[in-house]
Each structure stands twice: as C-alpha cells, then as structure tokens.
Amino acid sequence: MRNKWIVSIDDYRKASRKQLPKMISDYLEGGALDETTMRANEDRFDALMLRQRSMVDLRGLNTSTTVLGHSLAMPLMVAPMGMLTIFHPGSDPAVARAAVRAGSIFIHSAWAGCSLEEVAKVAPDNLWAQIAFWKDPAETASYISRARAVGVETLVVAGDVGSSSKRERDLHHGLSMPPRPPVADYFNAATRPSWLWRWLTGRKMTYGNYQINGRPLRMDEMNNWMASNKNPGANWEDFARLRSEWKGNLVIKGIMDAEDAARAVEEGADGIFVSNHGGRQFDSQPATIDVLPSIVDAVGGRAEIYLDGGIRRGHDIVKAVALGAKAALAGRPFAYALATGGEPAVDRVFGILQEEFKGAMGFVGKSSVADLDSSIFAGQAQSAPTESVLI
Ligand SMILES: Cc1cc2nc3c(=O)[nH]c(=O)nc-3n(C[C@H](O)[C@H](O)[C@H](O)COP(=O)(O)O)c2cc1C
C-alpha cells in the first residue's frame, strides 16, 4: 500500500532517517567540508524560475528521449553509488530492477557492495559500468574484461576521485567500513532495529564487487585493497589508452570545467557527466547547473552531456535539459527510497519524478523533450545579459 505521507523526494529523505542510524543517514545526506557546494546544487536549481504557458495542446506530450542511442522513458538515469548495501540489503539489484521497469539506466559503481555480474543478470540492457583507474593497471583491465563479458556497452570513467575528500559528518561519527558505531551512536543505532540486525549479522555488508578466494571482500578487506590501489596518478593518458582499447561508448564523470570538457571530447569521450559528486568530494565549487552552459558551449555538440547534483524535482530535470543536458541523473533520491522501503519505494521515486517532469513539461508548454530550450526560463535566465550591467 502506498504511504500517503510520502509524496516527494524530500519526504523520502526524512523517512530514510527513521530507518538508518544517524551515522549512516549522515553519510548518505552529507557532503564535503562546509557542504556549500552540496547545498548550492539544490539552491541554484530553485533559483531558476520557469515561464508558465497556457492553453497549449498537450495531447501528444511525450517525455521519452535517448542517450547514446538507448531509449529512456524520460531524461533520468541512476547515478553510480557505492555501498548501497549499507542502506538496504536489496542494494544494487533492487534499484536496477526498478530502473528497468522505469525505462531508465542504472550505473553500477566501481565501489558497489554488489557485483557487476549480479546486476547484469537483472538489468542486462539497462546497465552502464563505472570504472576507476586503479594503481595496478591489471586490476583495471580485469574489471573492464568483466564488464565486456556481461555485455556492458558503456563505461563511465570516474574522473574526480584522484584526490581525497573530507566529510566532517563522517569524521565526527568515526564512520568506518564496515560501520562500527562509536559509543555515542550506540543508542541511536539501537533505535533502528532492522538496520542493526543486518549490521550484526553482517548480511550483505560486503564489497561484493571484488572477490578473494571466491568470496566477496569484507568491508575491512576492501578498505585495505582500496587504500593500496587508490591512484592519484590517473590522468588523460590513461583515458586515451582506454579509448584506443574500448570499442563501446566511453563516458567521463566528474567534469566541472569547460577546458576539461573540451579535452574529454578531444580524447574521444562519447559522453560527459557534469558532476561535482553531489558535493561529496570537493567543496567551494559551483553548482552543476551553473557550469552546465559553459560546458555545453565548449563541447559544441560533439558529445552528449549529462548532469547530476541536486535533482529533487521533475522540474529540475526540465531545467537541466533546457540548458543543454541530454539527461539528468539522481543519486541520493534513489538511496533515500531504497533505505526507506526497498525496491517498491525506488519504483515510487521514479514515478514521482516522472509525474513531476511530465507536469512541468506541460506547464512550460512543451510536448517533447527535444523542444525544451532556454525559452522556458522566466525573467533573468531567459534573457540573461552577456555582460554585467553593474560598474
Ligand atoms: C551514498 C553515495 C555514494 C556514492 N558513490 C559514488 C561512487 O561510487 N562513484 C561515483 O562516481 N559517484 C558516487 N556518488 C556520487 C553520485 O554518483 C552522484 O554524482 C551524486 O549523488 C549526485 O548528486 P545527488 O545525490 O544530489 O543526486 C555517490 C553518492 C552517494 C550519495
């Protein structure tokens, strides 16, 4: 039965807090340092106002689009998220199955708690694989072979993980993987019995994407593995090498600068994710929606552009597409739903965003995704001066 109190992404955010210990909900909701960028992602969407149009014939309204030749029911995909296992045992397959039903694409994280092969079984045609350039190139090559073996056609390179982030909420909790609540968090965790039971029994709290001796790495083993394989040296040469070897689509995630976007195109990227990792990596940088226009200019139609960070409403997707994104992605919204109610709740998040997106398209008077352009913005954004009028 549908919970009538949950009608928006923000309702799911609040509801997920009741399921997760504070330490885990802070990990999910939080961002780097002062969280300025994280907040800006949402605030800058809110600051963009739209023009309502009236008396437009909307009978043929169609929300579908394509990304790299693949049909989507609407311009929305699931951003890669590691560690979905710590929110709900359904983890990646639950979200991936919902993505298939919603006509979307699930991007599996290189840091997932569940293996790429397991997800490929449930979403063989709706799956992109994120990869990382590990310090040991043989590890990267073996991962790419796995992706090829399960039929993945699109690889997403993590371009923003070379440096280390600082998330102060996690530091205050002493968050580790696997989660070991400090004494101050014991009481809070005890009030979340279903989560606590899973944690105590260790169910699914693995980094199932990597194995030793035929069993998934435990989180502590994976932490050691990642620490020794983190690669601050990953660079465009690695990307160019991969481009020459990988015949499928190649996309790069974590681009926030027009020069980097132009370089990605020169190196053969088919797609570019404008992403600041939801403000989880580096703070004090702009919202993704603010850098999108400069990246669209720099790319000049030579690659598809996608955007994530702060998508919480259907009209946010309308805004991103109108400013040049082929599709938007959401991360936290799907994780909030997963934590709250597992797979049915993830279905519901797709449904909420689809209804809101369709409604917003109608109100701005557009019947097809291809027609969304800058004419939909009210006031300033519609006729933004190219030069400052202030002296
Ligand atoms: C819990 C969590 C885990 C994430 N893990 C990854 C990851 O493994 N790889 C990656 O490229 N991005 C990761 N991200 C960032 C998302 O892919 C995406 O960029 C971000 O969540 C978008 O912002 P939003 O959460 O405001 O939608 C993660 C985000 C969250 C919330």
Side-chain angles (χ1 to χ4, degrees):
M1 198 181 63
R2 193 177 276 188
N3 182 334
K4 68 177 177 176
W5 301 112
I6 298 189
V7 298
S8 69
I9 304 306
D10 201 50
D11 289 342
Y12 271 117
R13 182 180 64 81
K14 290 175 188 146
S16 69
R17 288 182 174 179
K18 299 199 173 86
Q19 298 298 325
L20 299 173
K22 177 113 175 60
M23 169 183 70
I24 303 297
S25 60
D26 271 346
Y27 166 73
L28 172 54
E29 288 187 39
L33 299 164
D34 295 313
E35 302 183 338
T36 314
T37 297
M38 183 183 90
R39 285 190 299 276
N41 279 345
E42 291 185 36
D43 292 348
R44 299 298 296 162
F45 269 117
D46 292 345
L48 287 172
M49 295 288 164
L50 298 170
R51 278 170 84 193
Q52 179 185 303
R53 307 306 302 273
S54 305
M55 300 299 289
V56 179
D57 180 350
L58 299 170
R59 278 172 295 184
L61 197 154
N62 182 346
T63 61
S64 68
T65 188
T66 59
V67 284
L68 298 174
H70 184 107
S71 300
L72 295 183
M74 66 178 283
L76 175 67
M77 302 188 275
V78 183
M81 282 178 285
M83 305 299 310
L84 289 177
T85 37
I86 64 168
F87 306 129
H88 191 278
S91 78
D92 303 65
V95 183
R97 278 189 295 263
V100 172
R101 283 190 290 273
S104 181
I105 284 177
F106 177 84
I107 305 179
H108 178 266
S109 161
W111 291 268
C114 174
S115 75
L116 180 61
E117 289 77 3
E118 212 178 314
V119 181
K121 281 187 202 144
V122 300
D125 303 320
N126 302 56
L127 176 65
W128 291 5
Q130 184 194 48
I131 63 150
F133 288 121
W134 300 115
K135 194 182 274 174
D136 178 356
E139 290 287 354
T140 309
S142 118
Y143 198 72
I144 291 168
S145 308
R146 283 172 56 194
R148 199 179 276 120
V150 295
V152 166
E153 289 172 1
T154 302
L155 293 183
V156 179
V157 171
D160 58 358
V161 294
S163 198
S164 299
S165 63
K166 183 181 179 208
R167 289 186 211 135
E168 297 186 357
R169 296 196 205 200
D170 297 350
L171 293 174
H172 286 141
H173 286 294
L175 183 69
S176 59
M177 296 296 168
R180 283 189 196 91
V183 175
D185 279 310
Y186 278 172
F187 177 74
N188 182 268
T191 60
R192 308 290 187 275
S194 54
W195 186 92
L196 194 64
W197 173 250
R198 294 200 298 271
W199 174 67
L200 287 171
T201 54
R203 221 170 111 217
K204 279 284 196 178
M205 296 231 180
T206 59
Y207 267 108
N209 205 19
Y210 301 89
Q211 305 227 330
I212 42 168
N213 304 327
R215 67 162 173 84
L217 285 187
R218 289 194 316 266
M219 285 186 173
D220 53 339
E221 293 167 329
M222 183 62 188
N223 279 352
N224 296 337
W225 188 90
M226 281 202 301
S228 59
N229 258 296
K230 188 172 166 74
N231 183 9
N235 62 50
W236 287 115
E237 282 176 27
D238 298 302
F239 189 85
R241 200 170 314 112
L242 176 59
R243 176 69 290 179
S244 64
E245 291 163 8
W246 174 259
K247 301 300 168 226
N249 299 316
L250 192 56
V251 176
I252 183 154
K253 177 170 186 282
I255 296 293
M256 284 295 289
D257 184 277
E259 276 179 35
D260 290 345
R263 177 74 188 258
V265 173
E266 281 157 29
E267 301 294 355
D270 301 296
I272 291 171
F273 274 77
V274 178
S275 172
N276 53 31
H277 222 104
R280 295 169 73 82
Q281 288 291 91
F282 179 49
D283 201 18
S284 205
Q285 62 166 324
T288 48
I289 194 68
D290 282 338
V291 300
L292 176 63
S294 65
I295 289 179
V296 170
D297 270 2
V299 169
R302 293 171 294 161
E304 290 188 354
I305 296 173
Y306 320 114
L307 175 140
D308 72 22
I311 299 281
R312 300 293 180 269
R313 292 284 185 190
H315 57 232
D316 296 334
I317 303 169
V318 163
K319 293 169 187 177
V321 172
L323 288 175
K326 194 80 171 69
L329 298 95
R332 291 180 185 87
F334 294 111
Y336 294 148
L338 181 70
T340 303
E343 195 168 328
V346 182
D347 281 332
R348 180 84 184 108
V349 158
F350 275 114
I352 288 171
L353 290 173
Q354 167 79 24
E355 282 162 26
E356 291 182 357
F357 178 72
K358 191 173 174 190
M361 273 184 68
F363 279 119
V364 298
K366 302 290 185 186
S367 297
S368 86
V369 171
D371 290 341
L372 291 170
D373 59 19
S374 61
S375 69
I376 68 164
F377 292 104
Q380 227 185 331
Q382 187 208 348
S383 55
T386 47
E387 288 171 42
S388 171
V389 289
L390 298 173
I391 46 170

